[in-house]
Amino acid sequence: MSLWSEKVLQLLRRMNSFCSPGSSLEKCLRFEVVGQQVGWVPPNVVSVLSRFPEVFCPPHGGAVALCPGLDSLERRSAAVEAVLQELRDGGAFACLKGWRNERYAVMPRYCDAPLMHMERAATSLFGVKRYGVHVNGFSRDGNGNLSMWVARRSNTKQTYPGKLDNLAAGGLAAGCSVKHTLVKECEEEACIPASVAERATPVGTISYTYEDEDGVFPECQFVFDLELPSNFRPEIGDGEVQDFYYYPIEKVKELLATEEFKPNCAMVVLDFLIRHSVIEPDSEPYYQEFVAGLHRSL
């Protein structure tokens, strides 16, 4: 097997680590709201939540639940926010240092109505699924050869500073639609006019769940392809990106086997390579494993 194939397979295993043998999955408790599971709570978080019995019921039947008296989205959100603010002030969890004042919707499935809202930086403590939007910006030359726009993240980013990224990407904040987020991120990060961004084509999702010292990260990214004129040039917008590169697709493919890419952005690019037949089943021995690794959820 090629070294490239092995490296990409390692990436997919890393991004699906919570689903793998030896993970903390068996030790985590379900996080339930009004009887519906919305996440996974690691053991070290469970012990801390026991200090707040007015918000969290004692663990029972393998689950941690919000108290029944919190009977509306607003009450649940406010009660959990107060707990998180106290934990943040006390330095209980490192991930809360990255507080963004950005709320994510909490629900069993994307199609369900939100049961509460939660600060983005805290979602990993409860294993709440996070959603985002990623845009592949690409062009073709006169011979049909593909090239892709790749962004370099700012060195001041809270996560993965200096890593390669997709042309535009961002988390799906509570109350924001996928299309609104798409247009907003394109405008803010790459100065792409709304009239151009709206041409992006939805091409599916990628899903994965990994864990690290900050908790559990179930994520689903809505993926878009945006074909751009060959003379188009993105521009640095809000400072979250420090540079843009325009690479032939074979160079982008090579970069996937390095540590250059933010891991989930590498997955988005891998999905692009598969869909555009840059990677084919007759030439890639791990083709089936790649496809499965891009669409794995609990």
Side-chain angles (χ1 to χ4, degrees):
M1 303 300 175
S2 72
L3 180 60
W4 184 91
S5 298
E6 293 285 355
K7 290 285 189 180
V8 173
L9 191 60
Q10 289 173 18
L11 164 72
L12 294 173
R13 287 171 176 163
R14 171 186 170 191
M15 295 302 288
N16 288 289
S17 59
F18 190 63
C19 310
S20 303
S23 75
S24 68
L25 175 58
E26 292 185 0
K27 299 177 182 177
C28 291
L29 299 187
R30 300 185 308 279
F31 178 41
E32 295 183 351
V33 180
V34 294
Q36 300 185 73
Q37 182 177 0
V38 294
W40 294 94
V41 188
N44 65 312
V45 179
V46 174
S47 61
V48 173
L49 297 183
S50 65
R51 292 161 35 193
F52 304 92
E54 70 283 1
V55 178
F56 299 97
C57 297
H60 177 73
V64 173
L66 291 183
C67 293
L70 302 172
D71 55 4
S72 70
L73 180 149
E74 293 75 18
R75 288 188 180 128
R76 296 178 200 117
S77 302
V80 172
E81 173 107 354
V83 169
L84 294 173
Q85 287 284 9
E86 183 172 335
L87 295 176
R88 176 193 182 194
D89 293 342
F93 297 106
C95 63
L96 297 182
K97 295 178 181 178
W99 196 279
R100 304 192 188 199
N101 291 314
E102 182 179 353
R103 290 183 164 192
Y104 277 9
V106 178
M107 57 272 194
R109 301 171 301 169
Y110 181 75
C111 59
D112 295 326
L115 300 175
M116 61 177 290
H117 295 155
M118 181 181 288
E119 158 62 31
R120 173 177 180 171
T123 53
S124 62
L125 300 176
F126 295 86
V128 167
K129 180 167 281 192
R130 313 195 307 183
Y131 296 88
V133 176
H134 286 244
V135 183
N136 294 301
F138 71 100
S139 301
R140 302 178 191 269
D141 65 16
N143 296 317
N145 298 312
L146 287 166
S147 293
M148 177 176 279
W149 282 103
V150 178
R152 171 89 59 192
R153 294 164 68 83
S154 168
N155 287 326
T156 61
K157 288 283 288 182
Q158 291 180 351
T159 57
Y160 300 98
K163 294 293 186 180
L164 295 179
D165 205 323
N166 306 119
L167 175 62
L172 203 60
C176 292
S177 69
V178 172
K179 188 168 186 178
H180 170 85
T181 303
L182 162 74
V183 172
K184 177 176 74 72
E185 297 298 336
C186 282
E187 289 182 324
E188 291 179 354
E189 295 186 356
C191 297
I192 300 173
S195 58
V196 175
E198 288 173 351
R199 300 175 195 162
T201 303
V203 292
T205 63
I206 64 168
S207 299
Y208 49 89
T209 306
Y210 67 94
E211 61 178 333
D212 63 20
E213 63 275 6
D214 288 330
V216 181
F217 295 80
E219 297 188 343
C220 176
Q221 309 298 345
F222 292 92
V223 180
F224 288 77
D225 284 355
L226 177 58
E227 187 165 4
L228 297 162
S230 58
N231 62 352
F232 180 86
R233 296 292 181 273
E235 298 178 7
I236 296 173
D238 58 9
E240 295 196 2
V241 170
Q242 60 176 298
D243 209 347
F244 290 101
Y245 310 117
Y246 187 55
Y247 289 146
I249 202 65
E250 285 299 327
K251 180 174 177 62
V252 178
K253 178 184 175 182
E254 291 173 9
L255 287 168
L256 291 189
T258 70
E259 295 295 321
E260 282 287 291
F261 264 101
K262 181 173 180 276
N264 67 337
C265 299
M267 294 178 75
V268 172
V269 173
L270 178 62
D271 175 67
F272 180 93
L273 297 179
I274 290 171
R275 289 185 292 100
H276 289 264
S277 301
V278 179
I279 296 173
E280 296 187 335
D282 282 338
S283 56
E284 175 48 62
Y286 288 140
Y287 187 91
Q288 185 177 11
E289 287 83 354
F290 288 176
V291 173
L294 292 170
H295 305 97
R296 185 172 296 161
S297 58
L298 294 172

